[in-house]
Amino acid sequence: MNFFNTAREVTATEHMLNPAGPAAARIAEIWWEMLVVYGIVYLVTMALLVWALAIRRREGSRPGSRFVFIAGFVIPTVILVIMLFAAILDTMELGKGEPGFRVKVTSHHWWFEVQYPDLGIVDANEINIPAGVLTDFELQSHAVVHSFWIPRLGGKRDMLPDHPTHLMLMADEAGEFRGTCTEYCAGPHALMAFRLIAHDPEEFEQWVRRRSRIPEEPSDPLLVRGREVFMEQGCMACHAIRGLSESNTGPDLTHVGSRRTLGAGTIPNSEGSLAGWIANPQTIKPGSLMPRSFLSPEDLHALTAYLRSLP
Amino acid sequence: MNPSAEKNRQRFTRTWQTPPGIAGWIAEVNNRPLGIRYMVTSLAFFLVAVVLAMVMRTQLAVPDNNLLTPDTYNRVFTMHGSTMLYLFAVPFIEGLGLYLIPLFIGSRDVAFPRFTNFGYWMYLFGGLTMYASIFTGQVPDAGWTAYTPLSGPRFSDMGLDFWLLGLSMVEIGGIGAAVEIVVTILKLRTPGMGIQHMPILVWSYLAAGVMILFGFTPLLLATLLLELERSLGFRFFDVHAGGNSLLWQHLFWFFGHPEVYIIFLPATGVLSTIIPVLTGRRLVAYNLVIVAIMVTAFVSFGLWTHHMFTAGLPDLPMLFFTAASFMIALASGIQVFAWIATFWGSRPPYTVPMLFILGFFFVFVNGGLTGVMVATMPFDWQVHDTNFVVAHFHHVLIGGAVFPFLAGMYHWLPKFSGRLAGEKCGRIGFGLIFIGFNFTFVPMYIIGLLGMRRRVFTYPEELGVGTLNFISTLGAYSLGSGFAVVLLGLIWSAWRGRLAADNPWNGATLEWSTPSPPHASGFQRPPVARDRYPLWLEPPQDALQSELTRAADGLDHRPVSWRATLVTDVTNGIPQAVQYLPGSTLLPFFTAVAILGVFISVLLKNFIAAIALTLLVLGLFGRWLTIDPDLPREEADAFAERMQLPLLSSGTRTVGWWGMLGMIAILFTVLAALIYGYFYLRLYSDEWPQMGLPLPGLAGSLPAYGLLVASGVVQFFNMRARMRGDRRFLLRGMAAVVILGAAFTSGELWNLANMPFSPKTNAYGSIFFTLNGFVLLTVLAGVLLMGGALMRMLLLEEPVDTPRLQLWLQNSELFWFFAVAAGLVAFVTTYLAPRIL
């Protein structure tokens, strides 16, 4: 329990009212418009109630059915019809646009598999896109229903096991954004997140080039040992490293060294946290499908070093 | 008063009293004790759910808290939601309705007293079954919405079986209570209470009752389908076998959205009753309010997909649901302004009910407006499944329903207990609740906007919502303690409060014309009511009044040796007949226990015991239906002479006929939901039948369904024979129907047994067998009913126009026509449609 930590409050940034893309920006505007309109409706209604209770009885001047009809039906109808038209226009507006980039995201039990069909790159829990380009996210779930949400870029979309769904988002500028699973999926649903990184065009080119390289065989004895541990201790039964193993039960680790977080957005990626995660993921993300390991300290050190070396 | 009259009064009272002892308590069938029992039980579940909420809020007080594991938190919030919605809200409403509705309409009991008892036990057993999962350590954790495939056999443990079976029992009780309430309102109103004189509370219950019928039935079906998938390997929701995970969401929300209004409408009825009492004047715009209630009831069935805005369904059609949601907001707007207009300049006293009503306005209007925001699809894409939505629905459910119900508890405690509710506890409790509520749920809007999702056991510090969550948790403690203060205060008052006068608030509706608490019979003499506010208005002394008074006087402390109430015309409230009402009996309790046995056998996967117990249930129901009223000849003759109304009747003048209509409405809804499921699965399948299965053969089914149609034709002639009283024709005709029905059943059973696929093959097989199995069971039930009627004719040798026999004939006839129609619809859907479409 860390009851006393609340003192050092952090300013919220990763939210829908701090938009970084056109869809989120439009929806944030809708929110402020609605807040004003419905806020006024609320205040007027409350004022009428207070007035009704405060004034003295004057027979004959009491409101009747006509008042109820006008105040309760006619005026709200005018307001709601206007708001409905606005909603229809907004929906049509938000559905427009031709995507310039494609990402395929598949949700697994508490992590996201990320594929770039046009680039032949596979990754996990971290999505890289070019900034300023409308991106089509093809979403599907491997098992139960999940939902894909990056608050600063736009609305969410469910990830169904039945068929792919699509979501189009764009980041205005380069930056890093938090995304989460938003449909309850039991277990550590709360700890199922990802990072989306939008790059400037040249930077994105570089990223693609880096990712397209097949990792080199290590020569450092420590890393060689780490690679052996990876193969001997059953890691590869679940995890893929390009050129080494293929399973996608757990996240692809080909580029785990450069990943910002571990455990699908649960903890920052560092040497210490990676070793801790491998030793016992259950203390960090209870319910994760990855079991705790019983490696010797040397093997753990070697494995951590090896994984850290993956670009 | 002469001694014989006094003796008759005593006998009358004894007839209505509850038999002593525990057996008497179990066998209780009267609506008022059972209504209170429903409410007390639901409030006990409410307190459990409040405690669970406190646990959740404690976990969320600070970021990265590890008081609870994710698993525990998931189970806690699942039970919180399930308890609040299934075990508190709807049962509470039904208890309040069972208690109040007969008093509001001047009836001595509800239409099916034994079913009240049965429904209560089903509810209690269902609730306990849900909680019994604690003993297995596998408490349900799929949320109160239990989305598939998360709730399916692959991803959920046995806790979900407890959840599904417990919920099914609660639903059966709930649907039954709804039929009771609807039939009671339609047929058991006191002389003179035409439909235009019904109090708003009665209107709102009429609407809610019909909604439960059409809303809960798809949920009952959905829970049974999911249980079939979990226990027997059916594949409705299994995407690897042609199933569809969204089918559950559609069926669930087709119930789930009306559910909100099933809770809300009776609450508005309570407000529309109390506000006139507080202000001493009639509700403004009665007709508009009724229109608003009807629109709400109707439109609420067209909103369900606004819970699925993010499911990736096509955008523009989805806007229809935005529009429908706005429409329902208008209906609520009319009600709110009708209440404001009633308040206008009236200076009501600031009693506890008034405080809760003010709290209602402050909180509900806020929740209603954020509801309009959430219904705005693009905005919902952002806030869906965040704390914003959690804040919204707690505003409408607590502000819109719990506040009015607490106002109602204070208002009606004199009737419930004969004692006044203490104001002090009420005021302190209201203060804690009102302040606590706003501190809990207003910050939650912001928490949601800042990106915190719902149903998460913790949140990272970087999200920046720590302080707001801490405030919310403090508010929740205040809210929880406020509920405790109010409920403890009510219990204390009910036990030791000041004795109440008959009409302490100068109320205008009929419940205030009875003593506090009312006599065991409700009304020793039925009141005559020719106005919406009968206690405020002297009735006109005209010919109608004396006719109505004569009927009411006839029932004054009569009959003395059986329970009875008046049946009146649906529209104008003119007396039509006297309805016999059964007294205390243990039969419904035993039936409920046997059903519990069936469900436990399913849980233990002991299907042989399940089948044996199902036969026992059928036997008990058979016994239940075949008990005849036994009226003492002498008294009955004198009473009938005095009333000039039939004591036993048939057709639309008896509640039994309306009950059958309700039963058929339920089965019709099941059929419609199954057909929807069939075409929904087909819509999302590349080929139909799936996986290259052959079309179901016509060689066997065509003759079988030919027999069913033939039985329908024969039954048509039976109907005409019944009308002309032709006993000989009827005996042969009904025997023919029973034989044709049995032949159809065995023929179709043979066809199904020889299908080249099974329910486990794929979703197509599952829905094919379920739809046809439903028809088989319906026809089988029809054969049993028809056979029962035939047996009765053979054994009792009554003339055909004996009322009780007529009712048997009419009901089995209605049911048979429905069974034939259902069979034809299923035949066209499953056998012909794949060939044609």
Side-chain angles (χ1 to χ4, degrees), chain A residues 113-166:
Chain A
E113 178 182 348
V114 183
Q115 287 166 293
Y116 303 86
D118 302 327
L119 306 172
I121 300 173
V122 178
D123 207 341
N125 301 329
E126 211 163 274
I127 303 170
N128 290 269
I129 59 167
V133 176
L134 189 61
T135 303
D136 171 32
F137 293 89
E138 184 186 323
L139 309 169
Q140 188 158 10
S141 168
H142 180 256
V144 304
V145 182
H146 299 274
S147 192
F148 180 89
W149 186 37
I150 308 163
R152 292 193 64 196
L153 297 192
K156 57 184 71 68
R157 182 80 8 124
D158 292 353
M159 311 176 82
L160 306 173
D162 310 65
H163 49 79
T165 50
H166 288 266

Side-chain angles (χ1 to χ4, degrees), chain B residues 562-790:
Chain B
W562 74 91
R563 299 183 183 188
T565 194
L566 270 178
V567 171
T568 54
D569 185 277
V570 173
T571 52
N572 58 21
I574 302 290
Q576 288 179 320
V578 178
Q579 176 68 46
Y580 166 85
L581 295 171
S584 297
T585 160
L586 285 167
L587 197 55
F589 174 73
F590 288 134
T591 313
V593 170
I595 293 179
L596 176 65
V598 174
F599 282 40
I600 291 176
S601 314
V602 172
L603 263 177
L604 301 176
K605 310 255 185 255
N606 186 341
F607 295 108
I608 294 167
I611 290 169
L613 284 165
T614 307
L615 291 176
L616 176 64
V617 171
L618 279 179
L620 286 166
F621 269 127
R623 179 74 198 113
W624 184 341
L625 291 177
T626 48
I627 297 175
D628 265 4
D630 182 22
L631 313 184
R633 190 63 176 275
E634 203 176 319
E635 190 192 344
D637 288 345
F639 183 55
E641 172 71 16
R642 182 187 174 94
M643 294 300 296
Q644 294 178 359
L645 291 172
L647 300 191
L648 295 172
S649 43
S650 58
T652 59
R653 293 177 169 211
T654 175
V655 294
W657 187 86
W658 291 87
M660 177 52 82
L661 217 56
M663 181 73 210
I664 290 175
I666 293 166
L667 293 177
F668 169 80
T669 313
V670 173
L671 178 70
L674 280 171
I675 302 240
Y676 175 85
Y678 183 91
F679 283 108
Y680 189 84
L681 287 171
R682 183 176 168 182
L683 185 69
Y684 283 93
S685 296
D686 300 329
E687 46 169 357
W688 196 261
Q690 292 168 336
M691 292 162 53
L693 290 177
L695 286 167
L698 289 179
S701 57
L702 215 47
Y705 277 94
L707 294 175
L708 189 64
V709 172
S711 77
V713 174
V714 175
Q715 187 52 35
F716 176 75
F717 288 104
N718 286 349
M719 178 177 77
R720 296 177 51 167
R722 172 178 64 76
M723 286 169 175
R724 38 169 219 274
D726 187 343
R727 184 180 148 85
R728 272 169 60 87
F729 186 95
L730 262 179
L731 280 175
R732 289 169 195 175
M734 284 166 67
V737 168
V738 169
I739 292 167
L740 286 169
F744 163 79
T745 312
S746 29
E748 186 58 11
L749 210 54
W750 171 259
N751 289 337
L752 291 183
N754 288 307
M755 283 292 158
F757 54 90
S758 83
K760 295 183 187 182
T761 309
N762 52 25
Y764 168 76
S766 302
I767 194 75
F768 179 88
F769 275 91
T770 309
L771 190 44
N772 285 297
F774 169 74
V775 168
L776 271 187
L777 289 178
T778 307
V779 172
L780 199 62
V783 168
L784 290 176
L785 264 181
M786 192 65 77
L790 186 61

Side-chain angles (χ1 to χ4, degrees), chain A residues 26 30 33-34 37-38 41 73-91, chain B residues 319 322-323 326 330 372 376:
Chain A
R26 182 66 205 118
I30 294 174
E33 289 161 15
M34 290 197 303
V37 173
Y38 298 132
V41 171
F73 183 74
V74 177
I75 297 174
T77 302
V78 172
I79 296 170
L80 286 178
V81 166
I82 295 170
M83 296 305 276
L84 180 63
F85 271 103
I88 292 172
L89 293 179
D90 287 330
T91 307
Chain B
L319 284 168
T322 295
F326 283 13
L330 293 173
V372 174
T376 305

Side-chain angles (χ1 to χ4, degrees), chain B residues 60-144:
Chain B
L60 295 177
V62 290
D64 301 314
N65 197 357
N66 54 7
L67 178 70
L68 301 182
T69 63
D71 224 33
T72 311
Y73 185 87
N74 294 342
R75 295 177 198 275
V76 168
F77 87 70
T78 297
M79 289 312 282
H80 168 77
S82 305
T83 306
M84 282 298 191
L85 286 151
Y86 303 125
L87 303 182
F88 162 63
V90 175
F92 180 87
I93 283 160
E94 294 190 325
L96 188 71
L98 289 169
Y99 186 97
L100 283 182
I101 293 298
L103 285 180
F104 263 71
I105 61 171
S107 164
R108 283 175 173 167
D109 203 328
V110 288
F112 310 105
R114 288 174 298 187
F115 207 96
T116 321
N117 177 297
F118 174 73
Y120 174 75
W121 293 116
M122 289 301 282
Y123 158 51
L124 182 67
F125 293 164
L128 294 179
T129 303
M130 253 192 219
Y131 272 91
S133 58
I134 291 169
F135 298 112
T136 66
Q138 299 181 338
V139 180
D141 68 346
W144 78 280

Side-chain angles (χ1 to χ4, degrees), chain B residues 356-420:
Chain B
F356 276 108
I357 290 171
L358 289 179
F360 160 86
F361 276 98
F362 190 80
V363 172
F364 171 75
V365 176
N366 173 341
L369 288 168
T370 54
V372 174
M373 294 180 179
V374 173
T376 305
M377 189 161 68
F379 181 63
D380 185 66
W381 289 338
Q382 278 284 20
V383 292
H384 182 76
D385 271 334
T386 67
N387 268 273
F388 189 90
V389 175
V390 179
H392 155 68
F393 67 69
H394 282 90
H395 271 77
V396 287
L397 287 172
I398 297 182
V402 176
F403 283 12
F405 289 137
L406 290 178
M409 293 298 282
Y410 272 82
H411 185 70
W412 282 300
L413 197 71
K415 286 298 143 201
F416 298 157
S417 70
R419 291 168 191 275
L420 292 167

